[in-house]
Amino acid sequence: MSNVGIFAEFIGRKVNKVRWKPNDLMASTMFVTGSWDNEEDNVLELWGLTSENENSAKDFPPKLLDCVQQDGNITQIRFLDNKFVAVSTDNGTVKVYRIIGENEDANIHFNEVIAWENLHTFGKGQRCSCKDLAVCNYSLATIGDDYKLNVISLNTKQIHQVLEGISSSPLTCICFLTETEVLCCNSLSQMKLWDLRVAKSSITANINNFTQTQVPITCVAQHPSQKHFIFTGSEEGDVGVWDMRTNSLLTTMSSGDASSLTEIAFHPLEPDHLFTCSFGGRLLQWSSKKSYMCRIDPGDMEYSNFWVNTDKVKTRLSINDVIQPIYMPINSLDIQKQQLICGADNEAVYFQRNLKL
């Protein structure tokens, strides 16, 4: 495919997570990266797109606006809104920062608001990794190698609930299904849905057998408009489509690339377009063919969700590389408006200004 409009910038650190700073009205001009595998020199960095003059559009290469040292590899970054961002590390710590200032302000910087040290630990001072974190409004949920689920209220800055021993195998990823339900996935291809409304949270669903071979679930995403549909990525490169109303696997999709999926994300405004990145260095766009979409009744909301039509999804599915394969792990991606960014182990970030939908 053509690489017109795709830019790359070497930043000198392996990128484990990358996120656009939210902007409701226009395309964002700032993004955040988190590094890993750099011994004791891992950082959270804030970048701003630049322009040659005040009349031209902001574009690559980006300018480094601020940098904050982290004690450990960054495992996840999630924005709470357009000012506050939560960061987790593999030493079991979660921190929330506020971004003060705007792009190209001379004094723009991160300001640490609160930190939860040793949120995940094996005890006796032995730290363990916070594997993933999820946010919903001003609630934050984390999972770790200690098989623990923490739920934090960011309004009170207090740990609201702690659930221990929630899995029989290592936890891999987490997401909020609703404000009161948290979905946790593990390396035995199991998903467990926890209800936070009861005093001692109980499993409301225990969904097994993502595949018959128990392939680990590596990443998870929720459909932007129909929240009961969950999409999971596997260690073998497959995407699973789940209906949480019936706790059933509707279909699985494969690109033919058997490398582990590292992240999965929908286009926020066009949910018929799904994006994945993989350990094998591929960034893929999964979408419905135009000829199929033209025949859909626009009044039928359920049927118009391309992904749930199991009879058509495999034959009408189009899968394309967004960038040329780089043959090193692409660890993270994010989409905002019509622009996409991803980060990889080759110490570079890739930017596409106008996604082709």
Side-chain angles (χ1 to χ4, degrees), residues 58-267:
K58 290 181 170 59
D59 212 334
F60 259 44
K63 176 183 178 182
L64 181 61
L65 303 176
D66 195 21
C67 177
V68 180
Q69 196 80 22
Q70 300 295 309
D71 183 16
N73 298 319
I74 291 177
T75 57
Q76 189 56 272
I77 300 173
R78 297 290 183 192
F79 272 90
L80 310 175
D81 54 26
N82 64 353
K83 294 291 184 182
F84 294 91
V85 59
V87 181
S88 62
T89 64
D90 68 350
N91 68 1
T93 297
V94 172
K95 296 181 179 181
V96 174
Y97 293 91
R98 181 179 181 181
I99 299 176
I100 298 178
E102 297 296 333
N103 192 6
E104 298 185 351
D105 286 354
N107 62 345
I108 186 171
H109 64 280
F110 287 114
N111 179 51
E112 184 178 316
V113 177
I114 190 170
W116 292 273
E117 304 285 349
N118 301 323
L119 193 60
H120 292 277
T121 177
F122 291 127
K124 297 181 180 180
Q126 186 179 2
R127 297 178 175 181
C128 71
S129 177
C130 176
K131 298 293 290 186
D132 197 11
L133 68 85
V135 297
C136 182
N137 294 329
Y138 285 90
S139 292
L140 188 152
T142 70
I143 52 173
D145 281 341
D146 54 357
Y147 302 97
K148 185 186 296 183
L149 167 65
N150 294 297
V151 181
I152 301 171
S153 170
L154 296 174
N155 289 320
T156 62
K157 299 181 180 179
Q158 300 294 320
I159 299 175
H160 178 62
Q161 284 178 304
V162 179
L163 306 177
E164 298 183 352
I166 66 169
S167 177
S168 59
S169 66
L171 295 161
T172 55
C173 50
I174 184 175
C175 77
F176 277 94
L177 188 63
T178 67
E179 291 185 8
T180 57
E181 294 176 306
V182 176
L183 185 69
C184 299
C185 307
N186 68 19
S187 61
L188 284 181
S189 75
Q190 296 173 329
M191 297 195 297
K192 294 184 179 181
L193 185 62
W194 297 85
D195 188 346
L196 305 179
R197 291 168 292 188
V198 294
K200 292 185 178 180
S201 292
S202 59
I203 300 176
T204 59
N206 187 351
I207 310 166
N208 298 296
N209 297 325
F210 172 60
T211 65
Q212 294 300 316
T213 55
Q214 293 188 328
V215 178
I217 296 173
T218 55
C219 49
V220 62
Q222 187 177 39
H223 192 278
S225 58
Q226 294 177 278
K227 304 293 187 179
H228 50 276
F229 291 117
I230 294 294
F231 288 60
T232 53
S234 82
E235 197 173 75
E236 292 187 349
D238 297 325
V239 173
V241 184
W242 297 82
D243 187 345
M244 301 305 295
R245 296 170 300 182
T246 58
N247 299 333
S248 59
L249 177 64
L250 300 180
T251 187
T252 57
M253 303 175 290
S254 176
S255 67
D257 178 11
S259 59
S260 176
L261 296 183
T262 51
E263 203 154 86
I264 181 171
F266 282 94
H267 189 288

